[in-house]
Amino acid sequence: MQLKSFLICTGLTGLIVLQACETDVAIIEPNEYLLQIPAGFTYPEIPEDNPLSADKIALGRKLFYDPALSVDSTISCASCHKIENAFADHIAISKGVEGRLGFRNAPTLANIAWVPVMTMDGGNPTLETQPYIPIETHEEMGFNMVLLSERLQADPEYTMAFQDVFNRMPDPFGITRALAAFERTIISGNARYDQYMYQGNVEALTEAEIRGMDIFFSTEVGCVNCHSGFMFTNSAFENNGFFADYSTDSGRARITTLSTDVGKFKVPTLRNIGVTAPYMHNGSVATLQEIIQQYAAGGSGHENQSAFIQPFLLTESQQNDLIAFLLSLTDEQFLTNTNLVE
Ligand code: HEC
Ligand code: HEC
């Protein structure tokens, strides 16, 4: 069930596809799907080789929740990326197959469609290439893409779904693209902050939350130098001075091997931060209060610490206001969105 490029050339689909008419490689799935974009957000970039369709998203969701993706069929993507925790986890290090432990805290997948590069050290380029990591990492799903493809090929339901969506048997091409398509629908943009900021509801935030917002965006406190824009991240790799010693996880330097990159991590979003504790790359910080106090102290002074990390003074009541603001970034509707559950 595919519309080949000759249809595009005739203009029957009404789609704008800049694909040369003589090639027959452009495959556009039926029921082209438009994401529902929250007010204040841009439309995310969708790769040309992985257009969205409702059937592909449904297949990706089935895969995301299926423990068959792990070697012993015990761990799914959702074992570590739980909807109630905004697709993060509530423990520092999530368990993979046979209780094996990795070394990083599972991050939120909320709004992953807008994240330009995958993993905290930027070691993986796209949502389409990322699934190889959990599926093949010994401490996560401990399996193998080829063996997984064979397992799914033995399943008539999967075989039919992959044929419908990709016109081929289950294989790494389809598995990774379906997962990425589903992940692009993990969108969160209806926190009370959004209602106040982008939906014109001036009642949506309390007085304390508004005071906290002013603190967050103030130059003295400087959070917004890194946690900026509708995503609350500048997507840069920064050393926020939380640790004096990064020898167990050097962050960006794992990829670049540059000493100047030691301790730099991709600036995380702060959306839904109220439900994604514990915090930081290793999950070692339990509360938002500790985070604010550590930032206020001006960081560890690590040699790569960002110049944006400077000591500041907030009274206890101002700290509480700042925390109240951070908690207003939780999108309750998202946490129970039935389109995103199994
Ligand atoms: C055992 C726990 C575990 C499982 C299972 C798991 N993940 Fe993750 N996931 C993590 C951790 C930990 C990270 C952070 C890795 C890093 O930054 O190096 C992560 C990172 C990611 C990221 C990158 C997020 C970002 O902002 O950079 C994506 C996307 C992702 N996982 C999707 C998936 C998908 C899809 C599956 C299933 C195929 C999956 N995960 C299975 C723990 C897990
Ligand atoms: C220099 C850039 C920078 C500034 C300024 C900054 N942060 Fe961060 N923030 C980061 C980075 C990088 C991380 C991730 C570090 C890690 O994983 O070890 C982070 C992590 C966090 C986390 C934990 C996120 C998670 O999911 O684990 C919170 C909460 C946070 N910052 C809040 C703030 C607040 C509040 C301020 C202002 C007081 C602030 N940040 C200022 C760069 C910055």
Side-chain angles (χ1 to χ4, degrees):
M1 287 253 303
Q2 286 157 359
L3 299 173
K4 291 262 165 23
S5 53
F6 67 86
L7 271 185
I8 297 160
C9 295
T10 65
L12 283 179
T13 62
L15 294 170
I16 304 159
V17 177
L18 298 175
Q19 184 77 41
C21 290
E22 57 274 19
T23 66
D24 201 26
V25 289
I27 295 168
I28 301 296
E29 279 90 40
N31 50 37
E32 182 90 0
Y33 184 99
L34 281 182
L35 294 169
Q36 304 258 315
I37 304 301
F41 286 44
T42 55
Y43 201 87
E45 215 172 291
I46 308 295
E48 261 175 50
D49 71 346
N50 196 18
L52 296 171
S53 75
D55 289 348
K56 192 191 285 177
I57 292 164
L59 175 57
R61 182 176 58 210
K62 185 170 154 70
L63 289 166
F64 189 87
Y65 284 96
D66 194 343
L69 270 63
S70 64
V71 66
D72 58 2
S73 297
T74 56
I75 301 284
S76 73
C77 306
S79 304
C80 305
H81 299 285
K82 303 184 169 82
I83 187 166
E84 64 271 26
N85 302 114
F87 292 88
D89 204 352
H90 55 76
I91 50 173
I93 306 291
S94 316
K95 287 194 172 96
V97 289
E98 295 181 346
R100 293 175 203 154
L101 295 177
F103 68 110
R104 284 186 179 158
N105 179 244
T108 177
L109 301 184
N111 305 319
I112 195 75
W114 286 269
V115 176
V117 61
M118 295 301 120
T119 72
M120 300 173 189
D121 49 32
N124 197 283
T126 68
L127 263 185
E128 277 76 9
T129 52
Q130 191 280 336
Y132 279 93
I133 307 181
I135 291 170
E136 300 205 336
T137 296
H138 180 73
E139 291 79 13
E140 297 189 82
M141 301 170 116
F143 205 19
N144 171 292
M145 262 302 175
V146 175
L147 297 177
L148 170 60
S149 303
E150 285 171 15
R151 181 181 285 174
L152 300 183
Q153 283 164 17
D155 179 321
E157 235 183 83
Y158 271 119
T159 307
M160 212 183 326
F162 274 86
Q163 288 292 356
D164 273 355
V165 175
F166 296 108
N167 197 24
R168 56 209 283 166
M169 293 292 275
D171 68 354
F173 178 94
I175 294 168
T176 54
R177 277 167 181 73
L179 279 168
F182 167 63
E183 290 177 274
R184 289 196 174 93
T185 69
I186 304 180
I187 295 177
S188 168
N190 192 24
R192 283 189 297 104
Y193 165 78
D194 296 296
Q195 295 164 13
Y196 179 91
M197 200 68 177
Y198 301 121
Q199 301 172 27
N201 180 0
V202 292
E203 315 263 275
L205 293 184
T206 65
E207 293 289 319
E209 288 162 350
I210 293 171
R211 287 195 301 270
M213 177 167 69
D214 292 340
I215 293 169
F216 184 87
F217 288 113
S218 70
T219 3
E220 301 79 61
V221 173
C223 311
V224 76
N225 286 312
C226 298
H227 299 286
S228 56
F230 69 85
M231 283 286 284
F232 286 86
T233 167
N234 58 3
S235 301
F237 297 95
E238 302 278 3
N239 179 319
N240 70 346
F242 255 67
F243 307 94
D245 176 8
Y246 289 92
S247 54
T248 50
D249 186 347
S250 64
R252 182 70 178 148
R254 288 181 81 227
I255 307 302
T256 64
T257 73
L258 295 173
S259 63
T260 47
D261 281 340
V262 169
K264 291 188 181 169
F265 292 86
K266 190 171 65 180
V267 176
T269 181
L270 299 183
R271 287 181 170 277
N272 302 296
I273 198 74
V275 296
T276 64
Y279 304 111
M280 304 300 163
H281 64 276
N282 51 13
S284 65
V285 184
T287 66
L288 293 174
Q289 192 176 25
E290 280 170 69
I291 291 185
I292 288 168
Q293 286 169 355
Q294 282 211 49
Y295 275 125
S300 66
H302 187 275
E303 57 181 349
N304 293 335
Q305 180 177 308
S306 162
F308 289 130
I309 304 295
Q310 296 291 341
F312 56 81
L313 207 61
L314 291 180
T315 65
E316 203 179 319
S317 118
Q318 286 172 319
Q319 291 182 25
N320 290 337
D321 291 344
L322 182 51
I323 292 172
F325 168 66
L326 292 173
L327 295 178
S328 81
L329 300 176
T330 300
D331 175 352
E332 303 290 345
Q333 204 181 33
F334 167 65
L335 302 177
T336 54
N337 182 344
T338 50
N339 294 324
L340 299 177
V341 296
E342 207 165 353

